[in-house]
Amino acid sequence: MEAPDTPHVEQEPQGTPAGPCAMVIFGAGGDLAKRMLIPAIYNLAKSKLLPEQFAIVGVSIEPFSIDDFRSRATANISEFSKSPVDPESWDWFVKRLYYVSGDFRDPKLYEKLNETLSQVDKEQNTEGNCLFYLATSPEFFPIVVQQLGVAGLTTEGNHTWRRVVIEKPFGHDLPSAIELNHAVGQVLSEKQTYRIDHYLGKETVQNLLAFRFANGIIEPVWNRRYVDHVQVTVAEELGVELRGGYYETAGALRDMVPNHIFQLITLSAMEPPISFDADAVHDEQIKVLRAIQPFSPERVLDHAVRGQYGEGTMGGKHTVAYRAEPHVAPDSQTPTYVAMALQIDSWRWAGVPFYLRTGKRMARRVTQIVIRFRRPPLVLFRKTSVDKITPNELVINIQPDEGISLSFEAKIPGPAVRLGAVNMDFQYSDYFGTTPSTGYETLIYDCMMGDPTLFQRADMVEASWTVVQPVLDVWKALPPRDFPNYAAGTWGPAQADELLHRDGREWRDPTRHNGLQHAATRPNDDSVSTKR
Ligand code: BG6
């Protein structure tokens, strides 16, 4: 399937602009605001998705003036916006930046914020609507929410809304997630609470729903009758960088699994929702989480693998072990890699394992979902030289090289019956071009529009932690004895391969080319499944 022969699909990125509002960013002096939020909001402005009546109020401890805040934003934007900065739209944008400095624990900060919001309302006519974005360290989440409540800043009127976006991590285990939900629920209704998971901002993740439910040929085979197993790989080349302080308290399981990876799994495994309404989608996602077979301590030992990277070589360069990274203990037991086998006990999926793995300092950055279909019976080919058939595989590449490919068997031309695996390959960039973005644009826009579909409901967060809590408990009780157990630049510890070998399966090599492979032109390729 060659894209150049196919019509280019025109993009229609423009929706209607959001209604009047102010957006308050707590933690405006931090990295997330600088690298992601301000550039994402600016990209929305460039796409004409922001209202005229709009303002941003940065809040953080740094004693900036409004002018300082504006000049810093101007100095940073070209580096982080991922697309050229247009002077006219930047000028429009920068005039709408305001700033309040103070300590998040101090009630006076909220008085000042209240005054600034009134001033903003007068100057930009934001009509009293306000989106509070908590881009702070997690310890401040309950504090800021509570203070906002005390200051009356979360109270909605008949025609005005107040919403709060809470960043990840939402709790660090099940009890703390329940506690945080409770603290937030004391001040905000569920409708006002937007728990963000940036994976849901990725177009390819959103496309999972379109792919599954807008194509009549997919859904009928999307079940245990046809699917052998599913693999989800979220591999990063990056190490822990300068985030050792946070990562030491989190580790790979907390950092990636109950949030990003469970989003990928629930969207892949859920039943068709009755509509795209947030509750309809969330109701189906939560059923998947609740159907995951609970991990008994024995199951944790057999079905979950942890790893930590040692030193290694990446791109020809020596890289240090996790334990030698800044802010990491020299005898750290924090996992930087996790692999697990999940069973979803539903009518659709019973008996189909979902294998997941994620790690830092792996051989290549790739996020991929692989649907491995069942092998057909060989009877038809008994009297030929074909001795095995490669099962069909559907590979959904979330990042990079966004796209979808389906492998199938084809007859290799010639008098003998020989088979080779070939691919049908769809690359996003061939059809839709690339739209430079931070991944936060859609999520911020949806908050302004009041659409929580791409956010996590309280019960989803708790259901996710419920799945991983037994693993956290067993791993805490039994510290690892073999760390570091994989070299930087590899695909993780040998035990993770064992996890699949035991079931007669293996991880798909994520670096395997997804493009058109014609077996006949690649006679030495392993995918040619013939006796030679
Ligand atoms: C974050 C994790 O939520 O996701 C990071 O805290 C991780 O440790 C990041 O690197 C991965 O996101 P992405 O979009 O680069 O796959």
Side-chain angles (χ1 to χ4, degrees), residues 151-174:
L153 286 164
T154 53
T155 310
E156 302 190 299
N158 282 343
H159 301 288
T160 57
W161 53 260
R162 299 284 162 127
R163 299 176 188 137
V164 179
V165 183
I166 304 178
E167 259 294 337
K168 174 183 158 271
F170 201 89
H172 60 270
D173 56 12
L174 179 60

Side-chain angles (χ1 to χ4, degrees), residues 28 112 124 138 154 157 164 247 301 329 353 400 406 432 491 521:
K112 275 201 276 178
Q124 308 293 350
T154 53
V164 179
Y247 202 81
L301 299 178
L406 176 69
F432 303 110
W491 287 108
T521 61

Side-chain angles (χ1 to χ4, degrees), residues 168 198-199 202 236 243 255-256 260 360 365 399:
K168 174 183 158 271
H198 81 275
Y199 258 59
K202 296 182 195 284
E236 296 185 80
R243 299 167 70 222
D255 192 40
M256 299 297 287
H260 308 326
K360 294 210 179 273
R365 174 174 182 250
Q399 62 185 17

Side-chain angles (χ1 to χ4, degrees), residues 500-520:
L500 271 72
H501 288 170
R502 259 196 334 241
D503 298 345
R505 301 185 173 105
E506 58 184 31
W507 293 106
R508 179 183 189 276
D509 173 3
T511 58
R512 212 165 82 204
H513 178 58
N514 287 325
L516 188 72
Q517 306 171 26
H518 201 296

Side-chain angles (χ1 to χ4, degrees), residues 126-283:
T126 50
E127 295 188 2
N129 298 320
C130 198
L131 180 62
F132 299 97
Y133 197 115
L134 273 48
T136 68
S137 139
E139 81 222 53
F140 291 116
F141 296 163
I143 297 169
V144 174
V145 170
Q146 197 230 352
Q147 294 280 2
L148 285 173
V150 171
L153 286 164
T154 53
T155 310
E156 302 190 299
N158 282 343
H159 301 288
T160 57
W161 53 260
R162 299 284 162 127
R163 299 176 188 137
V164 179
V165 183
I166 304 178
E167 259 294 337
K168 174 183 158 271
F170 201 89
H172 60 270
D173 56 12
L174 179 60
S176 60
I178 294 174
E179 200 182 315
L180 182 53
N181 270 336
H182 181 72
V184 168
Q186 301 277 62
V187 179
L188 303 167
S189 68
E190 187 60 29
K191 210 166 89 341
Q192 293 177 285
T193 312
Y194 286 69
R195 299 172 192 80
I196 208 163
D197 182 318
H198 81 275
Y199 258 59
L200 290 170
K202 296 182 195 284
E203 280 294 338
T204 37
V205 175
Q206 293 166 30
N207 187 48
L208 279 169
L209 290 185
F211 179 70
R212 287 191 54 198
F213 302 127
N215 294 297
I217 60 168
I218 302 297
E219 204 40 31
V221 296
W222 207 259
N223 55 53
R224 66 197 180 108
R225 181 150 180 222
Y226 297 98
V227 176
D228 178 73
H229 73 276
V230 177
Q231 297 182 13
V232 177
T233 297
V234 181
E236 296 185 80
E237 281 174 37
L238 290 178
V240 72
E241 300 190 287
L242 298 174
R243 299 167 70 222
Y246 152 74
Y247 202 81
E248 278 284 88
T249 62
L253 179 58
R254 290 187 170 93
D255 192 40
M256 299 297 287
V257 178
N259 31 67
H260 308 326
I261 294 189
F262 280 2
Q263 294 297 342
L264 299 181
I265 289 182
T266 53
L267 293 176
S268 304
M270 70 191 222
E271 296 301 316
I274 51 154
S275 74
F276 275 130
D277 284 352
D279 274 335
V281 175
H282 294 161
D283 286 347

Side-chain angles (χ1 to χ4, degrees), residues 411-490:
K411 180 178 174 298
I412 299 173
V417 179
R418 299 194 306 147
L419 299 179
V422 296
N423 275 342
M424 284 201 295
D425 196 24
F426 152 69
Q427 295 285 317
Y428 256 79
S429 54
D430 291 342
Y431 286 79
F432 303 110
T434 46
T435 317
S437 75
T438 64
Y440 277 76
E441 287 79 356
T442 308
L443 297 173
I444 294 171
Y445 175 74
D446 282 0
C447 292
M448 292 179 185
M449 298 297 282
D451 179 356
T453 311
L454 297 178
F455 295 81
Q456 301 214 66
R457 214 167 55 186
D459 53 355
M460 289 167 73
V461 173
E462 292 177 19
S464 299
W465 281 115
T466 303
V467 175
V468 299
Q469 188 63 49
V471 185
L472 291 171
D473 292 343
V474 172
W475 284 359
K476 188 171 170 206
L478 299 175
R481 285 194 248 152
D482 59 349
F483 278 8
N485 59 355
Y486 71 99
T490 65

